[in-house]
Amino acid sequence: MSHIKTSMLAAALIAAAFSGAPARADGDPVKGKATFLAVGCFECHGRSGQGGRMNYPAPPLAQLQLPPESLAAFLREGRNDMPPYVASQVSDADVADIHAFLQTLPGPTDPKKIPLLAR
Amino acid sequence: MASKRSDTAAVGRRGFLKGAALSGAAAITAGEAKAVPVEAPKKASAAYPGPLQLAADTERPNADPATQTSSGGDFMTDVLQSAGIDYLFMMCASSFRGLHEAVLNHGGNKPEIIVCVHEEIAAAMAHGYYKIDGKPQAMICHATVGLQHAAMAIYNAWCDRVPMLAMVGNILEEDKRLPGAEWNHSAVDPGALIRDFTKWDDQPANLQHFAESTVRAVRIAQTPPMAPVFISVDAELQENPIEDREKLKIPKLSLPLPAMGEMGALREVAKMLTNAENPVVVVDRLARTPAAMPLLVELAEALQCAIIDVGGRMNFPSQHPLNHSGRARAAIAQADVIVGIEATDLWGLINAHSDRIVRSNRPIYKPTAKLATIGNREMLIKANDQDFGRYQPVDLAISGDGEASLPYLTEQVKKLIDDGRKSALAERGKKLAAAHASMIDAALSNATIGWDASPITSARMCAEVYAQIKDDDWSLVGTSVGLAWPRLLWDMKKPHNWNGGSGGGGVGYNAPASLGAALANKKHGRLTVSFQGDGDFMMCPGTLWTAAHHKIPLLYVMNNNRAWHQEFMYLQAMAGRHQRGARNTRIGTTITDPNIDYANLARSFGVYGEGPISDPKELGPALKRALAVVRNGEPALIDVVTDPR
Ligand SMILES: Cc1ncc(C[n+]2csc(CCOP(=O)(O)OP(=O)(O)O)c2C)c(N)n1
């Protein structure tokens, strides 16, 4: 999946992602969706987490393979053209909610099952 | 009394005379006025002219002939026809009424007038037209006021290196100007307004001068590097009689052959390419003619090398296994030789840069990679507007036309490839084909995300459109900002399947330039489609009236994300950096409250309109209906409510 491939997060974060660290139990996907829309994540990553493009492609986020703590750490600094989100703008609780929301997004399916995309 | 005075003031000069004649006959006095019928006071309200004034106003002096049998405009029309101008895109204005009338009544509406409601539309239509037809056209507008409207579109054409003949009417001799507007609308040097982004301009002083300068302008515009040219046409010259038509000569238009690069240097590039492990060829505004694409395919296949097509023109088939435009970074990172051919911004492509507080950048390419460029862009750059991009150091820079250089370059490459090398190249080709296939697979997989979502994803919108046009002879002539799907997933292999972008990034290009391109496609019976950003559309919405008026078949698919979305993202990034107001960024960047009803707007201009469509299931059927209209020779617009990108 391209969002894993394109990720250049620090090795520790990647390790955390694949160690299967559970999302924080208190993340609320409904609130998470509202925050995802309100603070503008959808502008660059799409409402379905399908990815988008500002100066260059912004990766898909549906089914993000990062634990909430790592997501929070990432958001505080941003990376390249991904803007930073400090805690006064998006709190740790907000991040947990966004994380929970991203887990509810279905992510990619098999294009062969969609007639318009089947080749 | 006061009301009588204002009545008098409202009566024009002719009304005044009429009133004066009547008042003489009726001899109404102020006292009697009360007794006459209601309308009488109006007739009688003017001050009485004396006999001298009456004579001056009614008798024509002999030195003031009222009619003429020829006009400079007639000759100018002959010149335009002879220079191969088929269309005159225009917004009417008195400063060129002489030429306007002559085109109609002397030229039989040849060049054909395409009526535009804004000068920006006129220039952008000429821009879009050229990129399909390959023949420059003319636009004309009012000096000063009209030209300022047109300037943005002329700038886009300049950045896109597209030729057009831009013209204005101007009143040169000050004693010929009426008071008021004719002064505001005249300039000593109208070309100064756009000289930074035109290749050449002139303001002819007589008709022979007009003929020579116009033919010269059309020739200069089409000599690579191509660009808009400008002629300011004196109104007196257009309107007044021709003194002696026999004396006037229209020079023949002859176009010089584009110059190819120096042969020794091209042989050097051929060597670099053939000896490389992983050569990459980068192209942008390469294809000048339909001949370019097969030439580039021949070079790519001979070398089995990756092509990165930035897409300023239709340069290379999108689904060719050697097309690596969608994985440019990876291809550049592996390259040991990179050759840019008419690659406008090579620096931008082969370096990574980030939009942070400190604007950093670093090469993506290997420090050991050898770089060469072939192209003519640097033969035409100017100092003020910075459209030349950042300086990219290279090992070999060749001045010369890319397309003209291709045959020789390919011939040399083929000469250098011996049989022993061929199997290694075939191996490389296989690897590249596999990388191309996984690039497509990844794109298809990403396209499935949010497939059924509302607002509709841009991937779904593009797939729905493609499904319905792919079996036609289609032409995609415009896309909204950052819409990458068509060039990644559609099978573009004909020269008219794609025609590049605005050039200068001046929003307002897409709607009118797409219409210009559709006009060029019309005579070939092609099915023309354009993805239309809502922000772009609102710059020149009146384009739709021209589409309806001239019955130009074209489907606009409104990519309606209800925002100037590119700017929405930039503002979000700014709020993030400044650690404040992440929830405020809709202000000034979104086009909501009220939402614009584009389908209704289209209908009000006489264009078939449907929408807003936010349920993806409804999109296919709506497109089918709209495309039936377009296939029937008329324009249509579908308003699709979309997710950002
Ligand atoms: C003449 C001009 N004005 C402003 C801009 C800044 N600008 C760049 S992209 C953009 C938004 C265009 O909106 P739209 O066509 O709807 O595309 P979207 O970004 O929403 O996909 C604007 C305003 C520009 N490039 N050109």
Side-chain angles (χ1 to χ4, degrees):
Chain A
M1 241 162 60
S2 74
H3 68 269
I4 298 175
K5 266 191 228 143
T6 56
S7 177
M8 296 181 299
L9 287 176
L13 299 188
I14 299 281
F18 289 101
S19 70
R24 255 167 62 183
D26 56 354
D28 174 347
V30 176
K31 274 204 216 151
K33 180 176 181 179
T35 311
F36 189 83
L37 296 177
V39 303
C41 315
F42 84 97
E43 294 165 28
C44 302
H45 295 286
R47 287 180 174 84
S48 306
Q50 73 271 31
R53 163 184 293 264
M54 186 169 68
N55 295 319
Y56 57 87
L61 295 183
Q63 295 291 313
L64 182 74
Q65 306 275 324
L66 268 185
E69 299 76 20
S70 308
L71 178 59
F74 174 74
L75 289 183
R76 301 302 172 227
E77 279 294 311
R79 181 182 63 213
N80 299 330
D81 289 6
M82 161 73 201
Y85 281 88
V86 295
S88 59
Q89 304 245 67
V90 178
S91 67
D92 284 352
D94 289 335
V95 178
D97 293 342
I98 290 176
H99 189 274
F101 166 62
L102 294 177
Q103 304 312 308
T104 67
L105 294 172
T109 54
D110 182 0
K112 293 195 182 67
K113 292 195 177 132
I114 297 177
L116 293 187
L117 295 176
R119 295 211 160 188
Chain B
M1 257 337 262
S3 74
K4 272 193 187 169
R5 279 230 177 92
S6 64
D7 279 347
T8 308
V11 176
R13 185 173 168 74
R14 281 160 207 273
F16 167 83
L17 282 173
K18 215 168 136 199
L22 281 168
S23 67
I28 297 165
T29 66
E32 286 165 336
K34 277 184 192 142
V36 297
V38 183
E39 65 275 5
K42 272 191 206 148
K43 291 180 191 162
S45 59
Y48 302 153
L52 272 178
Q53 173 79 52
L54 257 180
D57 279 327
T58 52
E59 287 169 21
R60 190 181 304 128
N62 291 340
D64 186 11
T67 59
Q68 61 194 65
T69 52
S70 74
S71 80
D74 298 356
F75 176 68
M76 292 172 179
T77 304
D78 295 344
V79 171
L80 293 175
Q81 287 178 1
S82 160
I85 303 294
D86 302 319
Y87 291 103
L88 185 59
F89 300 95
M90 62 164 246
M91 161 83 231
C92 53
S94 58
S95 59
F96 61 91
R97 63 187 186 179
L99 182 54
H100 184 169
E101 189 274 339
V103 166
L104 292 176
N105 296 327
H106 170 78
N109 198 18
K110 281 199 173 67
E112 185 182 342
I113 287 172
I114 302 293
V115 191
C116 302
V117 302
H118 192 290
E119 293 82 354
E120 183 172 2
I121 298 173
M125 281 191 76
H127 182 175
Y129 183 96
Y130 174 80
K131 284 195 287 178
I132 290 292
D133 193 61
K135 244 179 119 187
Q137 301 302 334
M139 65 83 54
I140 190 163
C141 58
H142 226 6
T144 68
V145 285
L147 189 56
Q148 295 190 62
H149 273 177
M152 174 62 255
I154 296 173
Y155 181 68
N156 271 336
W158 161 263
C159 295
D160 204 15
R161 292 298 184 268
V162 162
M164 75 169 73
L165 174 63
M167 297 189 289
V168 296
N170 189 29
I171 308 179
L172 271 175
E173 294 171 66
E174 58 123 53
D175 58 317
K176 305 290 164 50
R177 298 177 198 148
L178 298 178
E182 291 194 352
W183 285 80
N184 300 330
H185 300 168
S186 298
V188 172
D189 178 15
L193 266 174
I194 53 169
R195 193 161 292 134
D196 274 335
F197 40 93
T198 41
K199 195 173 173 186
W200 189 76
D201 67 270
D202 197 10
Q203 182 160 254
N206 59 45
L207 288 174
Q208 186 57 39
H209 187 172
F210 175 87
E212 290 178 23
S213 283
T214 302
V215 173
R216 184 197 296 274
V218 171
R219 171 182 161 130
I220 289 175
Q222 288 179 85
T223 304
M226 299 190 241
V229 289
F230 173 75
I231 298 283
S232 164
V233 195
D234 179 36
E236 290 272 305
L237 213 54
Q238 301 168 44
E239 294 176 14
N240 288 347
I242 303 175
E243 267 173 36
D244 185 352
R245 178 64 179 85
E246 290 304 303
K247 271 197 192 157
L248 296 173
K249 300 273 176 292
I250 303 178
K252 187 175 138 199
L253 173 69
S254 44
L255 297 178
L257 291 176
M260 63 181 268
E262 197 274 322
M263 290 163 115
L266 288 174
R267 282 199 295 275
E268 203 49 46
V269 174
K271 255 188 242 160
M272 284 166 73
L273 284 168
T274 1
N275 293 338
E277 279 300 306
N278 281 312
V280 167
V281 173
V282 178
V283 295
D284 186 3
R285 294 190 171 85
L286 169 63
R288 247 189 315 103
T289 74
M293 191 162 28
L295 290 174
L296 185 59
V297 169
E298 198 183 336
L299 175 69
E301 290 180 354
L303 282 164
Q304 291 298 315
C305 76
I307 301 288
I308 298 174
D309 180 0
V310 179
R313 300 286 187 273
M314 182 66 224
N315 298 306
F316 199 67
S318 63
Q319 302 306 303
H320 194 291
L322 296 172
N323 189 327
H324 288 245
S325 317
R327 56 181 294 278
R329 263 180 176 236
I332 295 289
Q334 282 169 0
D336 54 349
V337 166
I338 300 168
V339 176
I341 311 181
E342 302 293 358
T344 306
D345 179 16
L346 190 61
W347 179 83
L349 186 82
I350 67 177
N351 290 276
H353 7 76
S354 60
D355 188 1
R356 310 272 293 185
I357 298 169
V358 177
R359 293 231 163 170
S360 61
N361 61 80
R362 57 175 179 83
I364 302 170
Y365 59 100
K366 292 179 182 166
T368 52
K370 290 268 172 271
L371 272 56
T373 52
I374 305 166
N376 60 34
R377 190 147 180 123
E378 279 195 350
M379 292 157 81
L380 181 63
I381 55 176
K382 297 201 188 185
N384 189 20
D385 298 305
Q386 302 283 299
D387 65 299
F388 35 77
R390 193 159 179 184
Y391 180 81
Q392 172 63 52
V394 298
D395 299 287
L396 181 56
I398 303 177
S399 262
D401 180 67
E403 184 174 324
S405 303
L406 268 180
Y408 185 73
L409 179 65
T410 308
E411 185 189 307
Q412 294 308 306
V413 162
K414 284 184 172 170
K415 262 194 197 161
L416 290 168
I417 298 172
D418 53 32
D419 286 347
R421 190 98 177 88
K422 276 190 180 141
S423 63
L425 296 189
E427 239 358 86
R428 180 163 80 205
K430 271 189 205 151
K431 280 194 197 140
L432 286 170
H436 172 92
S438 24
M439 168 186 95
I440 298 290
D441 286 347
L444 287 169
S445 169
N446 281 345
T448 65
I449 310 179
W451 188 253
D452 293 318
S454 172
I456 299 170
T457 65
S458 60
R460 174 90 186 244
M461 172 183 70
C462 293
E464 293 280 356
V465 172
Y466 187 55
Q468 299 211 22
I469 64 166
K470 66 183 192 328
D471 298 326
D472 289 79
D473 185 17
W474 57 270
S475 179
L476 179 68
V477 295
T479 53
S480 43
V481 185
L483 191 70
W485 300 110
R487 292 189 54 240
L488 250 180
L489 294 180
W490 295 19
D491 188 10
M492 297 181 169
K493 53 179 183 250
K494 294 183 188 169
H496 54 269
N497 282 159
W498 170 247
N499 73 342
S502 66
V507 168
Y509 159 90
N510 197 73
S514 296
L515 189 63
L519 177 66
N521 275 331
K522 184 176 172 177
K523 57 177 170 282
H524 303 285
R526 296 175 189 143
L527 183 62
T528 309
V529 175
S530 177
F531 290 104
Q532 177 59 54
D534 50 334
D536 181 282
F537 179 78
M538 287 308 291
M539 293 267 180
C540 296
T543 302
L544 291 185
W545 180 83
T546 301
H549 181 72
H550 289 283
K551 289 201 171 20
I552 303 173
L554 160 66
L555 176 65
Y556 283 112
V557 182
M558 185 67 76
N559 182 357
N560 181 7
N561 54 30
R562 293 187 172 144
W564 296 281
H565 194 81
Q566 192 64 29
E567 301 299 335
F568 195 5
M569 293 185 287
Y570 287 143
L571 203 69
Q572 199 65 55
M574 215 26 41
R577 188 199 284 188
H578 295 161
Q579 309 176 62
R580 61 190 180 203
R583 292 162 200 256
N584 264 346
T585 53
R586 280 180 168 75
I587 300 169
T589 54
T590 52
I591 316 176
T592 54
D593 192 17
N595 292 335
I596 298 170
D597 182 349
Y598 295 104
N600 238 334
L601 194 146
R603 288 194 287 267
S604 78
F605 283 123
V607 169
Y608 179 89
E610 268 201 59
I613 295 167
S614 20
D615 179 349
K617 285 196 292 298
E618 288 173 10
L619 182 53
L623 284 167
K624 198 172 213 142
R625 291 187 289 273
L627 282 166
V629 172
V630 178
R631 290 190 180 104
N632 210 23
E634 306 234 359
L637 180 148
I638 293 288
D639 178 10
V640 190
V641 180
T642 51
D643 208 27
R645 280 280 177 270

